[in-house]
Amino acid sequence: MSQCAFITHSICAKHDMGDGHPECPERLAAINDALISARLMDFLQVHDAQLAEDRHLARAHTAEHIALVRQLAPEQGDVALDADTSMNRYSLEAALRAAGAVVQACDMVMAGQVKSAFCAVRPPGHHAEYDRAMGFCIFNNIAVGAYHALEEHGLERVVIVDFDVHHGNGTEHIFADEKRVLLCSSYQHPFFPYSYGPSIAGQRINVPLNAGSGSEEFRAAVVEQWLPAIEQFEPQMIFFSAGFDAHRMDPLANLHWSEEDFGWVTAEVKKLANRHSAGRIVSSLEGGYDLHALGVSTVAHISALLGL
Ligand SMILES: [Zn+2]
């Protein structure tokens, strides 16, 4: 029995925001191909993502936002939600399964069915605000999952590690007054979405990184800031907002990480999960727009989750 679940759904590759959009359906195929090439699929328990229910979404989002997404979902053609986020006829189901995957991952990990789970889903989530879609994101998948852990499973302390190159504005705002969540976030600065607040001890550790910076700056910040904060917080579960767009090959951003950096940070955080959280880790895909870099970086992340 594998210790790591791989939760995905074919509908997530049918959500398509148009030719040339970087958040493209091929991203999931690139991940799948890379996992097969690396011979990792045999180590993973593959599951179809379930649909999130409105009661799951409503913990992280306003009823108005959920209703509007349902109402705008087109039967044909495309509908714009913001300047760079749109829905086609498959997008509503894809968004519900993307959020549902993280809920499901949480349930599987809490039940001891697996130690960890990776959700290979799109649309991504961390820019989605409590009251609106934004930046390729419709629902905040990781926030929906973290609230599920708190409210459904009664956990009192969870950590979210967001290493996507863009700041997870939605996640930060949704949990702004939530003492049960410690958010550790790294991102290129100044850069989209230009909206984060200061670090707050025990609640939020923001690590802005200069354009052009690489492994050294990131790893130093993780060792000096994230790991001690997580250690002190003693989380009962750890979530990753796993965006791989800080890779040096990524066309949307300007950090110079390698795939090894994603493996490294995953392994470091996993040590703390083993110490405090019975090893419980739930990870969900965010960004990553160079298809090769996305594939090898996801392989590095999942290899570390598996302890390979
Ligand atoms: Zn991103």
Side-chain angles (χ1 to χ4, degrees):
M1 170 76 81
S2 169
Q3 288 297 292
C4 185
F6 182 81
I7 305 177
T8 189
H9 199 281
S10 57
I11 200 84
C12 292
K14 291 184 172 174
H15 161 62
D16 189 341
M17 297 188 283
D19 288 349
H21 197 295
E23 207 288 278
C24 62
E26 291 77 13
R27 297 177 65 232
L28 295 181
I31 289 173
N32 216 55
D33 291 350
L35 290 169
I36 291 169
S37 294
R39 301 182 186 281
L40 281 186
M41 272 303 184
D42 292 346
F43 294 95
L44 299 172
Q45 218 185 90
V46 181
H47 293 269
D48 270 346
Q50 70 188 22
L51 295 163
E53 297 167 25
D54 280 10
R55 68 188 179 92
H56 300 134
L57 302 173
R59 296 182 180 126
H61 294 289
T62 60
E64 291 76 12
H65 173 54
I66 300 165
L68 187 66
V69 169
R70 287 191 180 280
Q71 183 195 324
L72 289 176
E75 282 174 23
Q76 54 187 359
D78 298 299
V79 166
L81 297 179
D82 84 349
D84 49 24
T85 315
S86 63
M87 297 176 85
N88 68 2
R89 59 187 289 210
Y90 304 108
S91 302
L92 174 61
E93 185 180 341
L96 292 171
R97 291 200 188 274
V102 188
V103 169
Q104 184 177 352
C106 206
D107 287 341
M108 291 179 71
V109 167
M110 285 306 297
Q113 224 174 316
V114 285
K115 279 279 186 213
S116 59
F118 180 78
C119 304
V121 291
R122 48 185 296 281
H126 74 155
H127 294 306
E129 293 279 358
Y130 57 95
D131 61 352
R132 69 195 156 102
M134 179 177 161
F136 315 165
C137 304
I138 296 176
F139 298 124
N140 196 311
N141 308 322
I142 214 76
V144 170
Y147 264 129
H148 184 71
L150 296 171
E151 302 299 335
E152 197 85 14
H153 293 285
L155 298 191
E156 291 167 346
R157 294 176 312 282
V158 304
V159 161
I160 300 172
V161 172
D162 183 340
F163 53 66
D164 189 280
V165 79
H166 304 97
H167 179 251
N169 55 287
T171 312
E172 177 165 314
H173 293 150
I174 288 167
F175 293 119
D177 298 315
E178 180 51 78
K179 300 281 188 287
R180 295 173 294 177
V181 176
L182 170 67
L183 174 61
C184 296
S185 178
S186 59
Y187 46 87
Q188 182 177 326
H189 164 79
F191 202 47
F192 180 85
Y194 306 101
S195 65
Y196 54 89
S199 293
I200 301 168
Q203 199 176 338
R204 185 160 78 210
I205 314 293
N206 276 337
V207 172
L209 296 163
N210 292 326
S213 67
S215 308
E216 208 176 313
E217 292 84 351
F218 170 58
R219 292 189 185 205
V222 169
V223 169
E224 287 162 22
Q225 300 180 54
W226 285 3
L227 301 181
I230 297 170
E231 180 78 59
Q232 196 176 2
F233 194 75
E234 299 182 351
Q236 294 161 300
M237 184 181 280
I238 297 182
F239 291 84
F240 281 104
S241 257
F244 300 102
D245 39 10
H247 194 283
R248 64 174 113 79
M249 300 296 294
D250 197 274
L252 262 56
N254 310 98
L255 295 190
H256 291 176
W257 301 6
S258 67
E259 53 272 28
E260 286 83 9
D261 293 315
F262 297 107
W264 175 82
V265 67
T266 307
E268 290 298 315
V269 169
K270 190 185 168 190
K271 286 180 203 165
L272 298 180
N274 286 339
R275 188 139 70 233
H276 297 292
S277 324
R280 292 190 285 255
I281 295 178
V282 168
S283 178
S284 191
L285 180 65
E286 301 284 359
Y289 305 102
D290 177 86
L291 295 181
H292 175 75
L294 173 63
V296 293
S297 299
T298 306
V299 164
H301 177 60
I302 291 179
S303 295
L305 291 180
L306 287 164
L308 298 176

